[in-house]
Amino acid sequence: MAVLKKSTFMNSNRLDLHNIYKNFGNVKALKNVSMSTNSGQINCILGDNGAGKSTLVNIISGVFQQDEGDYKINDEIVSFSSPMEAMNAGISTVYQNLAIIPIMNIYRNFFLGQEPTKKGFFKTFDKEFATRTTIEQLEKFDIKIENPKRAAGTLSGGERQILAIARALYFGAKILILDEPTSALGVKESNKVVNQIISLKNQNINVILISHNIEQAYMLSDKFFIIKNGDMIDQFEKNQTSVNDLRKILGK
Amino acid sequence: MFVWLFFAIFAHNGFLSIYGVKSYLQVSSEIGILAVGVALLMIAGEFDLSIGSLIGFSSMSITLLTIEANMPMPLASVLTLIMTIFIGYCNGLTVVKSGLPSFIITLGSLFIVRGLTIAVTKLITGRTQISGIDESSGYDFMHSIFSSSVKIADVNFPVSIFWWILFVFLGYFMLNQTQIGNWIFATGASKESSKLMGIPIRKIKVSLFMLTAFCAWFIAVIQVTTFNGADVLRGEQKEFISIIAAVIGGTLLTGGYGSIIGVMIGALIFGIVKQGIIFAGIDADWFQVFMGVMLVSAVLVNGSFKKKYIHEF
């Protein structure tokens, strides 16, 4: 199957899923799910635990593949055999708890897995470049870091999420999946992250947000996908729905 | 530093002399070479308890192949190196394939390798100690590389000290200055996060098990050329001592953090205490007490360091 190159992405980065099925043994995790998300938008997937959100995200991010149905990016059918492959194609996922490694320092986290190397025989880790770039990239997200050699665990919860988002963008993410980015954060930290997620729209990123928090999701998102027991039971544009409608559908 | 001062004050007869320095550096160097491999593996989140038995196996294998099979010693050493690294590879593969704690897997291989070494040696020679390898061809060459000495101020410093420095340098370079080093830290700190970032954690772990096996072989060659033969019990407890050196040097038991320079200091402390106690005229039995106390204090300090940086989130 075609491996997507970054050049496939143009001004728009549309992602389409058509009639996706996924079974785990006898369990039907996804049944005939279709969805379409576009760049410059925040697309929210809502649903209870076990509804199939994670399965859907794992298919999009290349952790595993669908049993049936098509996965398309800009009308081209794609298939990823690993999260790395998806990442190289511009699809990144920021996971709730696994975004960064607390006991490693900030710049080592930022470049984890894609360390810049100096030219020459030994290909040493170019720490100067890594340090400088980390400071620059985090500044774009309003985080001032004086010493990127600090353990990343010393950052606040919100700063850690933003670090992971900044990293994904720096390495060319065009479609960004955010898995419960604020679920473990206090109000203040949560707002920091929310503001940065909104700013991603101006950068023409196709944001796919997984959330439990209906109020926050409604405020942030442009489009809603509701999953229940492996079915996509409803889809809305923001102007077609309200917080109360969403609550009713989800039974909360 | 405190340890050194302690013995500098209390062990006045000889500890500060160049002979004293040589004596503890020699002890430190062997532990130090092992500890470089052990620490790198620990930083990647795994233990290797089999290295002590691998030293016994390697030294016996070299000696048997040379004396009983009449091979030139360098050839016997290379063949043994291949076998030893293969055992390390098997250790690593079993650990990553089974997902079981390496502590248990390598505890198993510790007994398997030690038992086989004793049984096979007895089967072939009827003895557990073999000497007289110095008459074999190629011995002089091996001896000059691994066990010769360098004369500094009228005292012969064994070349193992310089090998130690080289191991420390290479280990430090790999861990701190290369991409692989970053992957080693990450593998030990969080397997799941590393996997998601595309780091080949299995390859890294297996390679590091092969590295600890290599370090064991290296020490085995040093011992064979120093003691002119082998004993099936060679290397006993070295697995624990090298872990102690790594932990005293600041390596986290849970992986993810450690420093090769710290580990060098850990090995140095080990040598200073071991020889210092003799110079101070204290009964050598106290050495174990001292090391135990050092180990527990080091683990406590390391643990609080980790807590400081890991918030729940």
Side-chain angles (χ1 to χ4, degrees):
Chain A
M1 209 150 309
V3 171
L4 204 65
K5 293 277 165 345
K6 274 181 190 158
S7 57
T8 311
F9 290 104
M10 308 296 281
N11 293 325
S12 107
N13 309 303
R14 206 173 75 241
L15 178 146
D16 295 291
L17 297 176
H18 295 295
N19 313 105
I20 298 285
Y21 287 84
K22 178 77 190 176
N23 299 330
F24 296 104
N26 292 327
V27 182
K28 289 178 174 146
L30 291 177
K31 292 171 268 184
N32 197 18
V33 169
S34 298
M35 65 186 281
S36 175
T37 68
N38 219 330
S39 52
Q41 276 190 340
I42 297 176
N43 306 277
C44 181
I45 302 177
L46 286 164
D48 285 333
N49 283 330
K53 285 179 300 178
S54 319
T55 311
L56 192 58
V57 165
N58 283 335
I59 288 172
I60 298 174
S61 61
V63 175
F64 43 67
Q65 293 168 342
Q66 69 273 23
D67 296 335
E68 276 178 59
D70 287 339
Y71 175 4
K72 288 183 185 171
I73 288 177
N74 293 336
D75 293 324
E76 198 180 310
I77 291 187
V78 292
S79 167
F80 304 115
S81 58
S82 72
M84 264 324 269
E85 230 174 69
M87 215 186 286
N88 289 333
I91 303 162
S92 278
T93 311
V94 172
Y95 291 92
Q96 190 179 3
N97 293 317
L98 302 172
I100 61 140
I101 298 177
I103 54 170
M104 285 177 77
N105 74 33
I106 297 170
Y107 76 78
R108 281 179 180 271
N109 261 290
F110 193 90
F111 283 94
L112 185 58
Q114 315 202 46
E115 292 80 357
T117 49
K118 283 182 193 162
K119 281 185 186 138
F121 181 70
F122 287 113
K123 300 228 186 297
T124 52
F125 187 179
D126 192 343
K127 293 179 182 174
E128 222 171 281
F129 174 82
T131 313
R132 191 162 20 92
T133 313
T134 305
I135 294 176
E136 283 169 10
Q137 295 300 316
L138 286 176
E139 255 171 27
K140 287 188 186 169
F141 289 86
D142 298 328
I143 297 181
K144 292 251 182 303
I145 300 287
E146 257 136 52
N147 180 15
K149 286 182 184 163
R150 266 164 57 196
T154 62
L155 293 171
S156 72
E159 287 173 331
R160 283 184 240 175
Q161 285 294 327
I162 295 170
L163 170 66
I165 294 171
R167 173 175 66 186
L169 255 51
Y170 177 75
F171 287 108
K174 299 294 177 202
I175 296 176
L176 184 65
I177 304 159
L178 302 174
D179 181 14
E180 306 273 5
T182 62
S183 66
L185 303 178
V187 178
K188 204 177 149 202
E189 287 296 309
S190 192
N191 287 340
K192 267 192 212 166
V193 178
V194 165
N195 290 335
Q196 296 307 331
I197 294 176
I198 292 172
S199 79
L200 295 176
K201 292 208 297 190
N202 305 327
Q203 299 179 49
N204 212 25
I205 304 295
N206 181 345
V207 181
I208 298 175
L209 176 74
I210 317 295
S211 184
H212 263 115
N213 183 337
I214 298 175
E215 284 79 10
Q216 191 189 66
Y218 183 77
M219 183 195 85
L220 263 172
S221 313
D222 303 297
K223 212 171 172 184
F224 303 90
F225 301 90
I226 321 287
I227 297 190
K228 209 168 193 175
N229 298 328
D231 280 316
M232 181 76 77
I233 56 167
D234 249 323
Q235 307 193 8
F236 301 106
E237 299 284 332
K238 188 168 193 163
N239 55 20
Q240 297 170 326
T241 188
S242 68
V243 175
N244 284 333
D245 286 350
L246 290 174
R247 267 224 196 92
K248 253 178 229 159
I249 293 167
L250 287 161
K252 284 185 182 171
Chain B
M1 196 62 214
F2 290 120
V3 177
W4 186 84
L5 273 177
F6 176 86
F7 287 108
I9 294 162
F10 290 102
H12 28 75
N13 20 338
F15 180 74
L16 287 176
S17 72
I18 191 136
Y19 176 74
V21 172
K22 173 226 149 180
S23 122
Y24 65 71
L25 282 183
Q26 180 168 14
V27 172
S28 296
S29 66
E30 290 192 11
I31 288 305
I33 289 171
L34 285 174
V36 169
V38 166
L40 286 171
L41 183 63
M42 270 174 78
I43 293 169
E46 303 291 350
F47 287 100
D48 188 353
L49 294 186
S50 72
I51 51 166
S53 66
L54 283 177
I55 296 174
F57 164 78
S58 283
S59 52
M60 197 42 90
S61 164
I62 293 169
T63 312
L64 286 178
L65 286 175
T66 309
I67 294 179
E68 300 291 324
N70 276 322
M71 272 183 204
M73 193 184 162
L75 178 64
S77 303
V78 172
L79 281 179
T80 301
L81 173 63
I82 294 169
M83 288 189 277
T84 310
I85 287 190
F86 180 72
I87 298 174
Y89 173 76
C90 293
N91 277 337
L93 206 63
T94 316
V95 168
V96 300
K97 288 273 181 205
S98 70
L100 291 169
S102 49
F103 185 84
I104 294 299
I105 303 276
T106 56
L107 184 62
S109 52
L110 157 69
F111 283 100
I112 295 170
V113 172
R114 180 72 75 196
L116 278 176
T117 307
I118 298 173
V120 172
T121 307
K122 273 190 174 166
L123 210 63
I124 296 175
T125 64
R127 286 174 296 165
T128 56
Q129 283 180 317
I130 298 168
S131 54
I133 199 169
D134 55 346
E135 286 156 18
S136 327
S137 67
Y139 174 84
D140 292 339
F141 168 71
M142 295 301 279
H143 184 268
S144 66
I145 295 178
F146 290 96
S147 297
S148 55
S149 46
V150 180
K151 208 168 192 135
I152 300 171
D154 279 343
V155 175
N156 287 321
F157 280 82
V159 74
S160 64
I161 296 170
F162 301 96
W163 282 118
W164 177 32
I165 295 168
L166 183 70
F167 269 74
V168 167
F169 174 76
L170 290 177
Y172 171 81
F173 182 79
M174 181 164 92
L175 186 62
N176 294 77
Q177 307 294 332
T178 70
Q179 186 174 42
I180 303 285
N182 209 33
W183 294 1
I184 292 174
F185 279 124
T187 302
S190 169
K191 246 183 358 196
E192 290 76 19
S193 301
S194 308
K195 224 188 262 169
L196 288 171
M197 298 308 287
I199 290 164
I201 55 174
R202 289 175 165 218
K203 263 189 209 163
I204 285 181
K205 286 188 176 180
V206 174
S207 316
L208 289 173
F209 273 104
M210 290 161 78
L211 178 70
T212 53
F214 172 78
C215 292
W217 171 84
F218 202 92
I219 296 305
V221 182
I222 289 178
Q223 295 201 341
V224 169
T225 46
T226 307
F227 299 115
N228 183 22
D231 181 327
V232 288
L233 294 180
R234 229 11 119 225
E236 248 193 342
Q237 290 197 357
K238 284 279 197 297
E239 56 278 342
F240 297 116
I241 293 165
S242 48
I243 289 175
I244 292 174
V247 172
I248 291 177
T251 313
L252 278 184
L253 282 167
T254 43
Y257 185 81
S259 128
I260 295 299
I261 303 299
V263 171
M264 182 186 83
I265 293 168
L268 198 58
I269 289 175
F270 180 89
I272 290 173
V273 174
K274 187 161 188 190
Q275 299 311 104
I277 275 179
I278 297 169
F279 280 109
I282 304 168
D283 193 293
D285 295 337
W286 288 97
F287 167 67
Q288 297 198 17
V289 179
F290 198 100
M291 287 314 290
V293 172
M294 290 283 294
L295 175 64
V296 174
S297 341
V299 172
L300 290 174
V301 172
N302 295 352
S304 66
F305 165 82
K306 191 181 173 185
K307 245 180 233 148
K308 204 168 140 197
Y309 292 120
I310 298 186
H311 311 295
E312 291 293 316
F313 77 106

